[in-house]
Amino acid sequence: MIRVMGAGAFGTALAVSLAERGPVTLWARDVGHAQEMARARRNDRRLPGIDLPDAVTVVSGPIEPSKAEATLLAVPAQTLRSFCTEHAGGLANGAPLVTCCKGVELATGLRPSQVIAEVLPGAACAVLTGPSFAGDIARGLPTALTLACADAAVGQRLQAGLSTSVLRLYRSSDVIGAELGGALKNVIAIASGAAMGAGLGDSARAALMTRGFAEIVRAAEAMGAARDTLSGLSGFGDLVLTCTSEQSRNYRFGLSLGRNEAFDPGVTVEGAATAQAVCDLAAREGLDLPITQAVMMLVSGRLRVEQAMDMLLKRPLKEE
């Protein structure tokens, strides 16, 4: 049995896909939402049009210890600490915890696996990340993801237990690279969306993606990531997807910034907090991350898109 904590779009999609392998428990924070899903056998609030398979059981309330093979944590990066703290007793059952969020904790600059290590010391932890949209996974469209785990034996078991006929997992031992690739690409997706929303064109977006990838590599390597990981699914692959599709919440948020339009405050945009957290880290490490800094200033309202682009274009000329 697999447990999925978080009944947002991605958590629900994972539950739907993994039901192919056997029983799945899908936990929702809101009791009313859980009852609604259990009755309708759908999650129309977050993932409309997708039926929940019979193998999916929807629950809410206090999380109890279970004999689950793995627990997937599909909760936002900025609430992961409070979630794990509140439900520590139900999570500390020996089963691996698999984080599915893509971000850096704003208050501490810690990656999700580091947050878990602080709150639940000794827990086996892995990371599930890569280029994927909830709707594609839920509809059974082919998707490839990275499953990163420092413990090779645990990683192998999770890879076998979480792969399905259409969800293909590639194993990695580079947890740092997998987490930072997934987190930092959200920042570049905001920049790409802002450029397109402001009508700056595809060439500007291509430049932002390319130079943004160079920033991702520079920042992640400085924090201990392997360059090869960043060139894979959890880095470059995820960057391409989220910078080119309006299915990406971070890209849509950037579009709204570029168009000077309001954005739904109820939609989680992990890249906004990550931009600030990474700028703080960059200042401490002496890293030059101009696109990330521009996004941070855009999100905080200190720059307009035109000003941000002007700031980037006026940087000194250099070799690539």
Side-chain angles (χ1 to χ4, degrees):
M1 190 265 284
I2 303 296
R3 297 193 298 180
V4 179
M5 303 292 114
F10 196 67
T12 303
L14 288 173
V16 170
S17 180
L18 292 170
E20 171 189 308
R21 300 191 59 93
V24 178
T25 298
L26 176 62
W27 179 88
R29 176 179 55 83
D30 182 79
V31 175
H33 187 200
Q35 292 173 341
E36 179 184 303
M37 284 190 289
R39 181 174 59 254
R41 302 305 300 167
R42 293 163 73 104
N43 185 1
D44 286 331
R45 292 193 196 183
R46 301 294 184 218
L47 194 64
I50 301 295
D51 293 330
L52 298 179
D54 292 340
V56 175
T57 301
V58 183
V59 300
S60 190
I63 296 173
E64 302 294 338
S66 80
K67 295 181 180 179
E69 303 167 44
T71 299
L72 278 58
L73 303 177
V75 298
Q78 303 308 319
T79 62
L80 178 63
R81 180 182 296 274
S82 60
F83 173 85
C84 290
T85 300
E86 180 181 356
H87 300 288
L91 297 174
N93 67 335
L97 302 177
V98 183
T99 67
C100 304
C101 51
K102 300 174 182 179
V104 175
E105 190 174 51
L106 180 56
T108 64
L110 296 180
R111 295 175 282 105
S113 64
Q114 293 176 306
V115 172
I116 290 175
E118 281 197 353
V119 179
L120 298 167
C125 184
V127 177
L128 185 63
T129 185
S132 56
F133 289 137
D136 292 348
I137 292 175
R139 290 194 297 273
L141 301 179
T143 302
L145 299 176
T146 296
L147 188 285
C149 185
D151 186 314
V154 172
Q156 289 173 353
R157 290 199 303 272
L158 288 171
Q159 181 185 35
L162 300 178
S163 294
T164 73
S165 61
V166 291
L167 186 62
R168 182 176 176 83
L169 304 188
Y170 286 82
R171 194 174 69 256
S172 171
S173 61
D174 183 12
V175 173
I176 299 174
E179 287 186 308
L180 290 177
L184 297 173
K185 61 85 188 175
N186 282 334
V187 179
I188 309 304
I190 293 175
S192 297
M196 296 303 287
L200 300 182
D202 289 321
S203 296
R205 173 168 57 181
L208 284 167
M209 290 173 64
T210 306
R211 297 311 304 162
F213 182 66
E215 281 194 20
I216 291 173
V217 172
R218 187 158 61 247
E221 280 193 313
M223 299 176 203
R227 180 179 289 260
D228 286 350
T229 304
L230 303 167
S231 298
L233 290 166
S234 59
F236 179 74
D238 213 355
L239 178 74
V240 170
L241 185 71
T242 54
C243 288
T244 57
S245 173
E246 291 193 33
Q247 289 190 70
S248 164
R249 293 169 294 182
N250 292 277
Y251 181 75
R252 292 201 311 274
F253 178 65
L255 283 174
S256 72
L257 290 175
R259 294 168 178 166
N260 197 28
E261 297 174 348
F263 190 77
D264 182 356
V267 175
T268 300
V269 182
E270 296 277 31
T274 296
Q276 179 64 64
V278 172
C279 280
D280 293 343
L281 289 171
R284 291 199 294 270
E285 298 294 329
L287 297 172
D288 184 28
L289 306 177
I291 297 175
T292 302
Q293 184 177 32
V295 170
M296 181 271 291
M297 296 177 76
L298 273 175
V299 169
S300 64
R302 290 148 62 185
L303 280 183
R304 298 191 306 274
V305 174
E306 296 79 7
Q307 293 172 313
M309 186 57 68
D310 188 56
M311 181 181 75
L312 292 172
L313 290 174
K314 286 184 176 178
R315 285 172 54 81
L317 299 175
K318 56 188 285 188
E319 285 188 299
E320 186 172 26

